[in-house]
PDB file of all heavy atoms in Angstrom:
ATOM      1  N   ALA A   1     115.821 109.478 117.281  1.00  0.00           N
ATOM      2  CA  ALA A   1     114.575 109.933 116.660  1.00  0.00           C
ATOM      3  C   ALA A   1     114.200 109.086 115.459  1.00  0.00           C
ATOM      4  O   ALA A   1     113.007 108.882 115.186  1.00  0.00           O
ATOM      5  CB  ALA A   1     114.708 111.400 116.246  1.00  0.00           C
ATOM      6  N   PHE A   2     115.191 108.589 114.729  1.00  0.00           N
ATOM      7  CA  PHE A   2     114.891 107.817 113.529  1.00  0.00           C
ATOM      8  C   PHE A   2     115.149 106.327 113.696  1.00  0.00           C
ATOM      9  O   PHE A   2     115.138 105.599 112.728  1.00  0.00           O
ATOM     10  CB  PHE A   2     115.693 108.359 112.333  1.00  0.00           C
ATOM     11  CG  PHE A   2     114.937 109.387 111.553  1.00  0.00           C
ATOM     12  CD1 PHE A   2     114.938 110.708 111.955  1.00  0.00           C
ATOM     13  CD2 PHE A   2     114.192 109.033 110.441  1.00  0.00           C
ATOM     14  CE1 PHE A   2     114.228 111.660 111.248  1.00  0.00           C
ATOM     15  CE2 PHE A   2     113.481 109.970 109.734  1.00  0.00           C
ATOM     16  CZ  PHE A   2     113.494 111.289 110.136  1.00  0.00           C
ATOM     17  N   ARG A   3     115.346 105.922 114.958  1.00  0.00           N
ATOM     18  CA  ARG A   3     115.478 104.491 115.177  1.00  0.00           C
ATOM     19  C   ARG A   3     114.112 103.840 114.948  1.00  0.00           C
ATOM     20  O   ARG A   3     113.111 104.293 115.518  1.00  0.00           O
ATOM     21  CB  ARG A   3     115.966 104.221 116.608  1.00  0.00           C
ATOM     22  CG  ARG A   3     116.613 102.858 116.787  1.00  0.00           C
ATOM     23  CD  ARG A   3     117.111 102.715 118.214  1.00  0.00           C
ATOM     24  NE  ARG A   3     117.992 103.799 118.605  1.00  0.00           N
ATOM     25  CZ  ARG A   3     119.287 103.857 118.310  1.00  0.00           C
ATOM     26  NH1 ARG A   3     119.833 102.901 117.590  1.00  0.00           N
ATOM     27  NH2 ARG A   3     120.023 104.868 118.704  1.00  0.00           N
ATOM     28  N   PRO A   4     114.053 102.830 114.071  1.00  0.00           N
ATOM     29  CA  PRO A   4     112.726 102.249 113.791  1.00  0.00           C
ATOM     30  C   PRO A   4     112.018 101.856 115.086  1.00  0.00           C
ATOM     31  O   PRO A   4     112.554 101.105 115.890  1.00  0.00           O
ATOM     32  CB  PRO A   4     113.049 101.007 112.950  1.00  0.00           C
ATOM     33  CG  PRO A   4     114.360 101.334 112.307  1.00  0.00           C
ATOM     34  CD  PRO A   4     115.114 102.173 113.314  1.00  0.00           C
ATOM     35  N   ARG A   5     110.829 102.399 115.298  1.00  0.00           N
ATOM     36  CA  ARG A   5     110.091 102.105 116.510  1.00  0.00           C
ATOM     37  C   ARG A   5     109.200 100.879 116.292  1.00  0.00           C
ATOM     38  O   ARG A   5     109.197 100.287 115.219  1.00  0.00           O
ATOM     39  CB  ARG A   5     109.243 103.311 116.913  1.00  0.00           C
ATOM     40  CG  ARG A   5     108.068 103.582 115.994  1.00  0.00           C
ATOM     41  CD  ARG A   5     107.386 104.872 116.378  1.00  0.00           C
ATOM     42  NE  ARG A   5     106.086 104.972 115.736  1.00  0.00           N
ATOM     43  CZ  ARG A   5     105.315 106.042 115.818  1.00  0.00           C
ATOM     44  NH1 ARG A   5     105.735 107.077 116.481  1.00  0.00           N
ATOM     45  NH2 ARG A   5     104.134 106.069 115.226  1.00  0.00           N
ATOM     46  N   GLU A   6     108.482 100.535 117.331  1.00  0.00           N
ATOM     47  CA  GLU A   6     107.617  99.355 117.221  1.00  0.00           C
ATOM     48  C   GLU A   6     106.616  99.548 116.096  1.00  0.00           C
ATOM     49  O   GLU A   6     106.130 100.652 115.864  1.00  0.00           O
ATOM     50  CB  GLU A   6     106.846  99.144 118.531  1.00  0.00           C
ATOM     51  CG  GLU A   6     107.691  98.642 119.658  1.00  0.00           C
ATOM     52  CD  GLU A   6     106.835  98.344 120.889  1.00  0.00           C
ATOM     53  OE1 GLU A   6     105.614  98.549 120.820  1.00  0.00           O
ATOM     54  OE2 GLU A   6     107.408  97.915 121.876  1.00  0.00           O
ATOM     55  N   ARG A   7     106.343  98.478 115.383  1.00  0.00           N
ATOM     56  CA  ARG A   7     105.372  98.564 114.303  1.00  0.00           C
ATOM     57  C   ARG A   7     104.017  98.988 114.842  1.00  0.00           C
ATOM     58  O   ARG A   7     103.583  98.567 115.913  1.00  0.00           O
ATOM     59  CB  ARG A   7     105.206  97.213 113.614  1.00  0.00           C
ATOM     60  CG  ARG A   7     106.417  96.787 112.835  1.00  0.00           C
ATOM     61  CD  ARG A   7     106.124  95.440 112.216  1.00  0.00           C
ATOM     62  NE  ARG A   7     107.282  94.911 111.538  1.00  0.00           N
ATOM     63  CZ  ARG A   7     107.375  93.666 111.127  1.00  0.00           C
ATOM     64  NH1 ARG A   7     106.375  92.845 111.326  1.00  0.00           N
ATOM     65  NH2 ARG A   7     108.453  93.244 110.504  1.00  0.00           N
ATOM     66  N   ILE A   8     103.363  99.825 114.081  1.00  0.00           N
ATOM     67  CA  ILE A   8     102.010 100.220 114.448  1.00  0.00           C
ATOM     68  C   ILE A   8     101.046  99.083 114.113  1.00  0.00           C
ATOM     69  O   ILE A   8     100.067  98.842 114.814  1.00  0.00           O
ATOM     70  CB  ILE A   8     101.622 101.515 113.722  1.00  0.00           C
ATOM     71  CG1 ILE A   8     102.588 102.627 114.138  1.00  0.00           C
ATOM     72  CG2 ILE A   8     100.197 101.924 114.014  1.00  0.00           C
ATOM     73  CD1 ILE A   8     102.395 103.924 113.402  1.00  0.00           C
ATOM     74  N   VAL A   9     101.329  98.378 113.030  1.00  0.00           N
ATOM     75  CA  VAL A   9     100.497  97.235 112.656  1.00  0.00           C
ATOM     76  C   VAL A   9     100.825  96.060 113.574  1.00  0.00           C
ATOM     77  O   VAL A   9     101.984  95.744 113.793  1.00  0.00           O
ATOM     78  CB  VAL A   9     100.749  96.834 111.192  1.00  0.00           C
ATOM     79  CG1 VAL A   9      99.862  95.659 110.796  1.00  0.00           C
ATOM     80  CG2 VAL A   9     100.496  98.022 110.284  1.00  0.00           C
ATOM     81  N   ALA A  10      99.820  95.403 114.130  1.00  0.00           N
ATOM     82  CA  ALA A  10     100.035  94.294 115.060  1.00  0.00           C
ATOM     83  C   ALA A  10     100.762  93.160 114.365  1.00  0.00           C
ATOM     84  O   ALA A  10     100.580  92.910 113.181  1.00  0.00           O
ATOM     85  CB  ALA A  10      98.687  93.807 115.606  1.00  0.00           C
ATOM     86  N   GLU A  11     101.557  92.433 115.139  1.00  0.00           N
ATOM     87  CA  GLU A  11     102.358  91.344 114.582  1.00  0.00           C
ATOM     88  C   GLU A  11     101.488  90.264 113.943  1.00  0.00           C
ATOM     89  O   GLU A  11     101.892  89.641 112.979  1.00  0.00           O
ATOM     90  CB  GLU A  11     103.217  90.731 115.693  1.00  0.00           C
ATOM     91  CG  GLU A  11     104.416  91.573 116.103  1.00  0.00           C
ATOM     92  CD  GLU A  11     105.460  91.637 115.000  1.00  0.00           C
ATOM     93  OE1 GLU A  11     105.547  90.692 114.206  1.00  0.00           O
ATOM     94  OE2 GLU A  11     106.177  92.639 114.940  1.00  0.00           O
ATOM     95  N   GLU A  12     100.295  90.071 114.484  1.00  0.00           N
ATOM     96  CA  GLU A  12      99.482  89.006 113.917  1.00  0.00           C
ATOM     97  C   GLU A  12      98.921  89.335 112.544  1.00  0.00           C
ATOM     98  O   GLU A  12      98.376  88.474 111.855  1.00  0.00           O
ATOM     99  CB  GLU A  12      98.323  88.652 114.851  1.00  0.00           C
ATOM    100  CG  GLU A  12      97.371  89.801 115.135  1.00  0.00           C
ATOM    101  CD  GLU A  12      97.745  90.549 116.406  1.00  0.00           C
ATOM    102  OE1 GLU A  12      98.945  90.487 116.778  1.00  0.00           O
ATOM    103  OE2 GLU A  12      96.852  91.163 117.021  1.00  0.00           O
ATOM    104  N   ASP A  13      99.062  90.587 112.089  1.00  0.00           N
ATOM    105  CA  ASP A  13      98.565  90.936 110.767  1.00  0.00           C
ATOM    106  C   ASP A  13      99.373  90.240 109.672  1.00  0.00           C
ATOM    107  O   ASP A  13      98.861  89.934 108.611  1.00  0.00           O
ATOM    108  CB  ASP A  13      98.594  92.438 110.548  1.00  0.00           C
ATOM    109  CG  ASP A  13      97.426  93.140 111.231  1.00  0.00           C
ATOM    110  OD1 ASP A  13      96.478  92.457 111.649  1.00  0.00           O
ATOM    111  OD2 ASP A  13      97.493  94.359 111.350  1.00  0.00           O
ATOM    112  N   TYR A  14     100.655  90.023 109.923  1.00  0.00           N
ATOM    113  CA  TYR A  14     101.469  89.283 108.970  1.00  0.00           C
ATOM    114  C   TYR A  14     102.721  88.819 109.692  1.00  0.00           C
ATOM    115  O   TYR A  14     103.224  89.474 110.601  1.00  0.00           O
ATOM    116  CB  TYR A  14     101.838  90.132 107.752  1.00  0.00           C
ATOM    117  CG  TYR A  14     102.274  91.539 108.060  1.00  0.00           C
ATOM    118  CD1 TYR A  14     103.566  91.807 108.512  1.00  0.00           C
ATOM    119  CD2 TYR A  14     101.392  92.602 107.899  1.00  0.00           C
ATOM    120  CE1 TYR A  14     103.953  93.098 108.802  1.00  0.00           C
ATOM    121  CE2 TYR A  14     101.791  93.899 108.185  1.00  0.00           C
ATOM    122  CZ  TYR A  14     103.060  94.141 108.639  1.00  0.00           C
ATOM    123  OH  TYR A  14     103.450  95.434 108.932  1.00  0.00           O
ATOM    124  N   GLU A  15     103.229  87.677 109.291  1.00  0.00           N
ATOM    125  CA  GLU A  15     104.400  87.104 109.947  1.00  0.00           C
ATOM    126  C   GLU A  15     105.686  87.705 109.414  1.00  0.00           C
ATOM    127  O   GLU A  15     106.653  87.872 110.145  1.00  0.00           O
ATOM    128  CB  GLU A  15     104.410  85.584 109.745  1.00  0.00           C
ATOM    129  CG  GLU A  15     103.227  84.870 110.407  1.00  0.00           C
ATOM    130  CD  GLU A  15     103.230  83.392 110.097  1.00  0.00           C
ATOM    131  OE1 GLU A  15     104.166  82.945 109.402  1.00  0.00           O
ATOM    132  OE2 GLU A  15     102.299  82.684 110.542  1.00  0.00           O
ATOM    133  N   ASP A  16     105.722  88.022 108.116  1.00  0.00           N
ATOM    134  CA  ASP A  16     106.936  88.513 107.492  1.00  0.00           C
ATOM    135  C   ASP A  16     106.882  90.022 107.328  1.00  0.00           C
ATOM    136  O   ASP A  16     105.829  90.604 107.122  1.00  0.00           O
ATOM    137  CB  ASP A  16     107.131  87.866 106.117  1.00  0.00           C
ATOM    138  CG  ASP A  16     107.252  86.357 106.208  1.00  0.00           C
ATOM    139  OD1 ASP A  16     107.866  85.897 107.185  1.00  0.00           O
ATOM    140  OD2 ASP A  16     106.726  85.660 105.322  1.00  0.00           O
ATOM    141  N   GLU A  17     108.049  90.630 107.428  1.00  0.00           N
ATOM    142  CA  GLU A  17     108.149  92.066 107.185  1.00  0.00           C
ATOM    143  C   GLU A  17     107.816  92.358 105.727  1.00  0.00           C
ATOM    144  O   GLU A  17     108.213  91.621 104.828  1.00  0.00           O
ATOM    145  CB  GLU A  17     109.575  92.525 107.481  1.00  0.00           C
ATOM    146  CG  GLU A  17     109.778  94.009 107.360  1.00  0.00           C
ATOM    147  CD  GLU A  17     111.205  94.393 107.728  1.00  0.00           C
ATOM    148  OE1 GLU A  17     111.478  94.597 108.912  1.00  0.00           O
ATOM    149  OE2 GLU A  17     112.046  94.444 106.812  1.00  0.00           O
ATOM    150  N   PRO A  18     107.053  93.416 105.447  1.00  0.00           N
ATOM    151  CA  PRO A  18     106.722  93.720 104.049  1.00  0.00           C
ATOM    152  C   PRO A  18     107.973  93.848 103.189  1.00  0.00           C
ATOM    153  O   PRO A  18     108.968  94.450 103.594  1.00  0.00           O
ATOM    154  CB  PRO A  18     105.991  95.066 104.155  1.00  0.00           C
ATOM    155  CG  PRO A  18     105.420  95.067 105.534  1.00  0.00           C
ATOM    156  CD  PRO A  18     106.429  94.343 106.386  1.00  0.00           C
ATOM    157  N   GLU A  19     107.923  93.262 102.016  1.00  0.00           N
ATOM    158  CA  GLU A  19     109.033  93.342 101.077  1.00  0.00           C
ATOM    159  C   GLU A  19     108.955  94.662 100.317  1.00  0.00           C
ATOM    160  O   GLU A  19     107.896  95.030  99.807  1.00  0.00           O
ATOM    161  CB  GLU A  19     108.972  92.171 100.090  1.00  0.00           C
ATOM    162  CG  GLU A  19     109.094  90.803 100.747  1.00  0.00           C
ATOM    163  CD  GLU A  19     110.520  90.475 101.151  1.00  0.00           C
ATOM    164  OE1 GLU A  19     111.407  91.305 100.890  1.00  0.00           O
ATOM    165  OE2 GLU A  19     110.747  89.402 101.725  1.00  0.00           O
ATOM    166  N   VAL A  20     110.051  95.381 100.265  1.00  0.00           N
ATOM    167  CA  VAL A  20     110.102  96.630  99.516  1.00  0.00           C
ATOM    168  C   VAL A  20     111.355  96.620  98.649  1.00  0.00           C
ATOM    169  O   VAL A  20     112.336  95.938  98.949  1.00  0.00           O
ATOM    170  CB  VAL A  20     110.121  97.863 100.449  1.00  0.00           C
ATOM    171  CG1 VAL A  20     108.864  97.911 101.298  1.00  0.00           C
ATOM    172  CG2 VAL A  20     111.362  97.877 101.327  1.00  0.00           C
ATOM    173  N   PRO A  21     111.363  97.356  97.540  1.00  0.00           N
ATOM    174  CA  PRO A  21     112.563  97.418  96.703  1.00  0.00           C
ATOM    175  C   PRO A  21     113.749  97.968  97.488  1.00  0.00           C
ATOM    176  O   PRO A  21     113.593  98.747  98.434  1.00  0.00           O
ATOM    177  CB  PRO A  21     112.151  98.387  95.575  1.00  0.00           C
ATOM    178  CG  PRO A  21     110.657  98.379  95.576  1.00  0.00           C
ATOM    179  CD  PRO A  21     110.247  98.148  96.991  1.00  0.00           C
ATOM    180  N   ASP A  22     114.945  97.574  97.091  1.00  0.00           N
ATOM    181  CA  ASP A  22     116.147  98.048  97.763  1.00  0.00           C
ATOM    182  C   ASP A  22     116.256  99.566  97.737  1.00  0.00           C
ATOM    183  O   ASP A  22     116.793 100.171  98.660  1.00  0.00           O
ATOM    184  CB  ASP A  22     117.391  97.431  97.112  1.00  0.00           C
ATOM    185  CG  ASP A  22     117.545  95.964  97.477  1.00  0.00           C
ATOM    186  OD1 ASP A  22     116.863  95.509  98.412  1.00  0.00           O
ATOM    187  OD2 ASP A  22     118.345  95.271  96.813  1.00  0.00           O
ATOM    188  N   GLU A  23     115.756 100.182  96.669  1.00  0.00           N
ATOM    189  CA  GLU A  23     115.830 101.642  96.568  1.00  0.00           C
ATOM    190  C   GLU A  23     115.014 102.331  97.656  1.00  0.00           C
ATOM    191  O   GLU A  23     115.301 103.470  98.036  1.00  0.00           O
ATOM    192  CB  GLU A  23     115.330 102.095  95.188  1.00  0.00           C
ATOM    193  CG  GLU A  23     116.253 101.758  94.041  1.00  0.00           C
ATOM    194  CD  GLU A  23     116.117 100.326  93.559  1.00  0.00           C
ATOM    195  OE1 GLU A  23     115.330  99.543  94.148  1.00  0.00           O
ATOM    196  OE2 GLU A  23     116.791  99.965  92.576  1.00  0.00           O
ATOM    197  N   VAL A  24     114.007 101.640  98.169  1.00  0.00           N
ATOM    198  CA  VAL A  24     113.132 102.208  99.191  1.00  0.00           C
ATOM    199  C   VAL A  24     113.565 101.795 100.591  1.00  0.00           C
ATOM    200  O   VAL A  24     113.192 102.416 101.582  1.00  0.00           O
ATOM    201  CB  VAL A  24     111.674 101.776  98.917  1.00  0.00           C
ATOM    202  CG1 VAL A  24     110.721 102.233 100.014  1.00  0.00           C
ATOM    203  CG2 VAL A  24     111.217 102.318  97.563  1.00  0.00           C
ATOM    204  N   ARG A  25     114.393 100.762 100.691  1.00  0.00           N
ATOM    205  CA  ARG A  25     114.790 100.219 101.985  1.00  0.00           C
ATOM    206  C   ARG A  25     115.364 101.266 102.951  1.00  0.00           C
ATOM    207  O   ARG A  25     115.060 101.231 104.152  1.00  0.00           O
ATOM    208  CB  ARG A  25     115.790  99.082 101.754  1.00  0.00           C
ATOM    209  CG  ARG A  25     116.341  98.420 103.002  1.00  0.00           C
ATOM    210  CD  ARG A  25     115.300  97.801 103.882  1.00  0.00           C
ATOM    211  NE  ARG A  25     114.402  96.876 103.191  1.00  0.00           N
ATOM    212  CZ  ARG A  25     113.443  96.220 103.798  1.00  0.00           C
ATOM    213  NH1 ARG A  25     113.247  96.374 105.087  1.00  0.00           N
ATOM    214  NH2 ARG A  25     112.653  95.405 103.118  1.00  0.00           N
ATOM    215  N   PRO A  26     116.188 102.243 102.511  1.00  0.00           N
ATOM    216  CA  PRO A  26     116.717 103.225 103.473  1.00  0.00           C
ATOM    217  C   PRO A  26     115.638 104.037 104.178  1.00  0.00           C
ATOM    218  O   PRO A  26     115.919 104.649 105.221  1.00  0.00           O
ATOM    219  CB  PRO A  26     117.597 104.131 102.597  1.00  0.00           C
ATOM    220  CG  PRO A  26     118.008 103.274 101.454  1.00  0.00           C
ATOM    221  CD  PRO A  26     116.809 102.417 101.179  1.00  0.00           C
ATOM    222  N   TYR A  27     114.418 104.055 103.645  1.00  0.00           N
ATOM    223  CA  TYR A  27     113.359 104.885 104.217  1.00  0.00           C
ATOM    224  C   TYR A  27     112.331 104.057 104.972  1.00  0.00           C
ATOM    225  O   TYR A  27     111.322 104.589 105.432  1.00  0.00           O
ATOM    226  CB  TYR A  27     112.668 105.675 103.089  1.00  0.00           C
ATOM    227  CG  TYR A  27     113.658 106.276 102.126  1.00  0.00           C
ATOM    228  CD1 TYR A  27     113.852 105.728 100.856  1.00  0.00           C
ATOM    229  CD2 TYR A  27     114.457 107.355 102.486  1.00  0.00           C
ATOM    230  CE1 TYR A  27     114.785 106.247  99.976  1.00  0.00           C
ATOM    231  CE2 TYR A  27     115.392 107.880 101.619  1.00  0.00           C
ATOM    232  CZ  TYR A  27     115.562 107.316 100.364  1.00  0.00           C
ATOM    233  OH  TYR A  27     116.493 107.831  99.500  1.00  0.00           O
TER     234      TYR A  27
END
């Protein structure tokens, strides 16, 4: 249920995964 699913945002919107602080990474 919590396995990250396919991104809703299309891949062509950005090449790199959004950078988030480490404190937010678990979510």
Side-chain angles (χ1 to χ4, degrees):
F2 268 84
R3 201 178 306 278
R5 70 186 194 185
E6 288 185 0
R7 291 180 185 167
I8 299 175
V9 181
E11 285 292 332
E12 60 266 24
D13 281 347
Y14 44 79
E15 296 176 2
D16 299 323
E17 184 178 274
E19 298 284 358
V20 299
D22 286 346
E23 289 81 357
V24 175
R25 179 59 53 179
Y27 316 105

